[in-house]
Structure formats: structure tokens, C-alpha cells
Amino acid sequence: MEYNSNKLNWLFQLFRGFLTGALVGVLMTIFALSINVVGKINSSYPFLVFLIPLGAVATTFLYKVAGTRYRNSTTEAIDDINNRSRNLAKSQVQHAVCPQMGAIAYIATLITHITGASGGKEGSGVQIGLAGASAVEMLENKLFKLNSNNNSEYYLMCGASAAFGALFSSPIAGVMFGTQFASPKTTRLDAWLPCTISSFTAVIISKLLNIHILHIPEFIPLDVTVSNYLIVAIFAVLAGFYSRLFCFITHSIKHIFQSKIKNEYLQVLVPSIILLGVSIITYAFTKSFKYNGLGGALLSDIIEGKANHVADLMKLLMVAFTFAAGFAGGEVVPLLIVGAGFGMSFASLFSLPVSAFAVLGAISMLSGGTNLPLACFALGLELFGYSEPTLLFLAAALSFLASGTSGIYNHQKKPY
């Protein structure tokens, strides 16, 4: 009987992982294509940047009508996963993590990128993945008459794994992300099988559908030498401190407007007007809106050493006001860009290889900002193609340690 029960459980895990990965792979392809299309529209019609204030108000109105609980759905999914790991009763999280959450996140992110606000896409992508996972959970419960209380946390982790893996075409990073993002303190090995199936399935399907991902220019990684060990170690610690600054600035600016302004529309309208002003000033100096939007072209320029040496500070400022203005999207790609810019400036200052340190900076910054060094290490290998794992791991590990307890994901169970 015990053997049959375990066998049945394994079959359900395979079922969950495959169906969730298949659905989320399709959803991420559509999502990434949509972001690319609206990004190109914004680039073709630069005057759309003047709609940033309208976009901020429209996003706030969307969440007000749909339900403000959907704005923090990733945080509530983290709570749900962590609560279940402690065998606590099911909370009201189920009302926020649901299929309609994905549609709301999708629309809100399109508003961000059509107006040219400086946001990412993976945050909303993970929310769409969670929404897709909840839809598959509903299907399983309907077909097999199961108690969803025993399955939801696995679906949430599978959805997150599939979304992150597909968006960056990085299946291993997807598995690491899904099993650790709620609690970096603990790797959920009990979800290892469904998350692996889900992430790999989503990546395979999204590749077959020609998903649009970030383009990373070719570069030469650093050689493993004693001097490079020391340089990378110092650099990684500085990047970890920088990630603290990133989190502090983005959270503080948003808090200032929310605490000083009572009207919810004025709370986002004022920083959105400032964001518009910063965008115009940036364009006046750079003759480009590359600092707006997703920033894929800016990331390529940084790795190739073609960007301004204060690119990281300019991007950080625009990202901070973007999220203060209530726009949706995500902070992973902005962290990558800011970190790459810091790496480029650091390398230029000390006559070091620019492209190698730009990539190390991107991964280091992300590791510190997400508190997920293993997922970021895998991302560096898969997405960036950093072929020297030793220095990459050192950078991800030390930046994580230097970043302290700060992070972009609220309610994570911190590792210390």
C-alpha cells in the first residue's frame, strides 16, 4: 500500500510539473513577445514617453478595480509556500494567487513598456506563471477530486520555476529559483522533481515557439589566477553593498511618496512626472531612450563597453521612480543592468577587461538583490554563457554575503 501511494504521488508530481511547464511555456512566449512588440512601438514613437504619468494612473486604476491584493501577489505566494512548510492553515492567499492574477499582471506590464517606464518583466512573468500554475491546480482538483490544501505550494513553486526558466531560457536557474525564492534558507528538495519537470518543459516549449530573450554579446571570461581571485572577491563585496543601496533607494523613494501623499493617484502621479523629467533630461544628454523600457539594448552596450560610465546610476534612478510610480514589471533585469554598469565602470577605472566584469557585475548584483546565489550562478552559466564557473561562483557567493538581509522579494525567509 505504501509503495502504491508513493508511486501515485510520483505520478501526480510528474503530471503537475509537465502540465504546468507546458502551459507556462506558452504563456511566457506570448508575454515575452508582447513586451518586445510594445517595446518596439515605444522605440518607433518616442513621444509615447509623455504618456508615463497617464500610464501610472492607469495602472493604479487597474489594480483598484481588479483588487489591490493582486499587486502583492508574489509576496503572498511566498507567504503561502512558507506557511505550508510550517503546516499552518491555509490563508486568504488563495484569493490573490489565481488565474485572473495573470491577466492583470500582463496588462499592467504592457502599460509599463508601451509608455517607456523603466521596468523589467520577470516579476510579472513569475506572477503569470503562478496564475498558470493555479489554473492547472484547479484542473487537477476537478479531475481527481483532490484536496488543494495538499498541492498548492508545489504548484506555486512549479509555476515560478517554469516562468523564470522560460523567460531567460535557463532551466537550471528556473529550478533553483522555484525551490528557493520563497525561502533562501531552505532548498525545497521535496519539490525538486515537479519543479525540474516544469522548468525544463517550459524552456523546451518556449524555445520551440521562438521566445524572445535578452541578447548577450560574446565576451571573454577572466582566467583563473590568484590576482583575479582577489580582484573578483573585492569587486563582489562592493557589488553586494551596491545591491543594498539599490534596494534601499527603490524602497525608500516609494515609501516617501506613499507616506507624504494621501491620495492614491497623486502618490503615483508625482513620481511619474519626475520620471518623465528624468527621461527627457537623459535623452538630452545621451540622445537615446535606452535607459527607458526593458533596457536590453543598454545591457548589450554596457557589456560591449559602449555605454556611459554613469549608466548604472542613471538606470537606478529611473527604476526607483518607475516603481515609486506604481508601474508593474520586475526588478531582475534592472538589477542585471545596474550591476553590469557598475562592473563596466569598475573595470574601466582599473584597466581590467570590461565585458567580463560587466557580466560578473550583473550576476553579483542580482545575487545580492534576490538572496539567491545558486540561481544566479546558474543564470550566469546558462544565459550569459560565463564559461569559467569558479570566479562566477565566487562573485555570486560573496556579493550575496555582503548584501545582508536586503532584497527585492518581501517576506522571504532570510538565511540568517
Side-chain angles (χ1 to χ4, degrees):
M1 181 67 69
E2 182 179 352
Y3 171 78
N4 290 333
S5 177
N6 289 335
K7 186 176 181 179
L8 184 61
N9 183 51
W10 274 62
L11 289 174
F12 274 122
Q13 289 196 46
L14 290 171
F15 174 84
R16 293 168 190 148
F18 177 75
L19 285 188
T20 302
L23 176 59
V24 175
V26 174
L27 293 177
M28 289 304 99
T29 303
I30 296 172
F31 177 62
L33 175 63
S34 301
I35 297 301
N36 186 47
V37 169
V38 297
K40 287 183 177 179
I41 292 174
N42 181 271
S43 298
S44 300
Y45 302 98
F47 65 85
L48 290 174
V49 75
F50 289 97
L51 297 180
I52 285 177
L54 178 61
V57 172
T59 301
T60 299
F61 178 76
L62 172 66
Y63 281 107
K64 184 178 178 65
V65 172
T68 55
R69 63 187 182 277
Y70 293 120
R71 185 180 285 279
N72 299 317
S73 51
T74 301
T75 298
E76 294 182 342
I78 289 174
D79 286 340
D80 199 24
I81 294 171
N82 289 334
N83 287 343
R84 290 173 189 285
S85 69
R86 297 193 299 269
N87 296 318
L88 299 182
K90 189 169 186 179
S91 66
Q92 294 180 345
V93 172
Q94 61 176 326
H95 300 301
V97 183
C98 56
Q100 53 265 42
M101 175 187 76
I104 296 166
Y106 176 79
I107 295 171
T109 309
L110 292 185
I111 294 174
T112 298
H113 291 284
I114 193 67
T115 60
S118 190
K121 63 180 180 180
E122 77 300 321
S124 294
V126 168
Q127 291 182 6
I128 295 172
L130 294 170
S134 70
V136 179
E137 178 191 7
M138 292 170 61
L139 174 63
E140 177 186 311
N141 293 325
K142 185 174 181 179
L143 290 176
F144 300 102
K145 309 298 182 182
L146 298 176
N147 183 358
S148 63
N149 285 351
N150 297 324
N151 304 321
S152 288
E153 61 176 315
Y154 295 103
Y155 275 112
L156 295 176
M157 288 185 279
C158 285
S161 291
F164 194 89
L167 283 175
F168 294 107
S169 195
S170 305
I172 299 174
V175 176
M176 297 292 186
F177 181 85
T179 55
Q180 295 179 340
F181 83 109
S183 179
K185 188 174 183 177
T186 306
T187 299
R188 290 294 300 273
L189 294 180
D190 57 317
W192 198 259
L193 175 61
C195 284
T196 298
I197 297 297
S198 181
S199 182
F200 277 77
T201 300
V203 171
I204 291 171
I205 288 179
S206 61
K207 279 187 174 182
L208 290 175
L209 297 175
N210 295 316
I211 189 172
H212 182 272
I213 62 172
L214 291 172
H215 169 70
I216 307 298
E218 293 185 4
F219 64 93
I220 300 175
L222 297 175
D223 294 327
V224 178
T225 64
V226 174
S227 60
N228 281 342
Y229 272 129
L230 294 175
I231 293 170
V232 169
I234 293 171
F235 171 73
V237 171
L238 294 175
F241 290 147
Y242 199 174
S243 72
R244 284 194 190 194
L245 181 64
F246 179 99
C247 296
F248 174 77
I249 291 176
T250 53
H251 294 162
S252 296
I253 290 180
K254 184 175 183 178
H255 175 72
I256 288 172
F257 287 106
Q258 289 181 341
S259 61
K260 299 297 182 182
I261 303 174
K262 301 305 178 184
N263 183 280
E264 58 186 322
Y265 289 107
L266 288 179
Q267 283 178 358
V268 299
L269 183 60
V270 174
S272 69
I273 293 173
I274 297 175
L275 173 62
L276 174 58
V278 172
S279 300
I280 294 172
I281 293 172
T282 301
Y283 179 81
F285 283 96
T286 65
K287 305 302 179 184
S288 171
F289 282 114
K290 287 184 178 180
Y291 294 86
N292 294 74
L294 187 62
L298 176 60
L299 179 60
S300 295
D301 284 352
I302 290 173
I303 295 175
E304 293 174 349
K306 299 178 182 178
N308 193 295
H309 288 295
V310 293
D312 54 323
L313 296 176
M314 295 166 66
K315 183 66 175 179
L316 172 56
L317 183 64
M318 295 185 71
V319 169
F321 282 106
T322 291
F323 288 106
F327 284 103
E331 294 159 291
V332 168
V333 174
L335 274 168
L336 291 173
I337 295 173
V338 173
F342 174 63
M344 180 192 71
S345 300
F346 180 89
S348 299
L349 182 62
F350 296 102
S351 300
L352 299 168
V354 169
S355 60
F357 273 91
V359 173
L360 286 175
I363 296 301
S364 297
M365 191 79 171
L366 186 63
S367 178
T370 60
N371 292 310
L372 300 172
L374 293 179
C376 294
F377 171 64
L379 187 67
L381 295 175
E382 294 178 295
L383 174 63
F384 287 89
Y386 204 96
S387 57
E388 177 35 63
T390 308
L391 293 175
L392 180 66
F393 184 86
L394 181 67
L398 293 183
S399 59
F400 157 70
L401 293 173
S403 68
T405 58
S406 62
I408 61 175
Y409 296 119
N410 294 326
H411 296 196
Q412 274 183 327
K413 291 174 64 176
K414 306 300 183 184
Y416 43 75

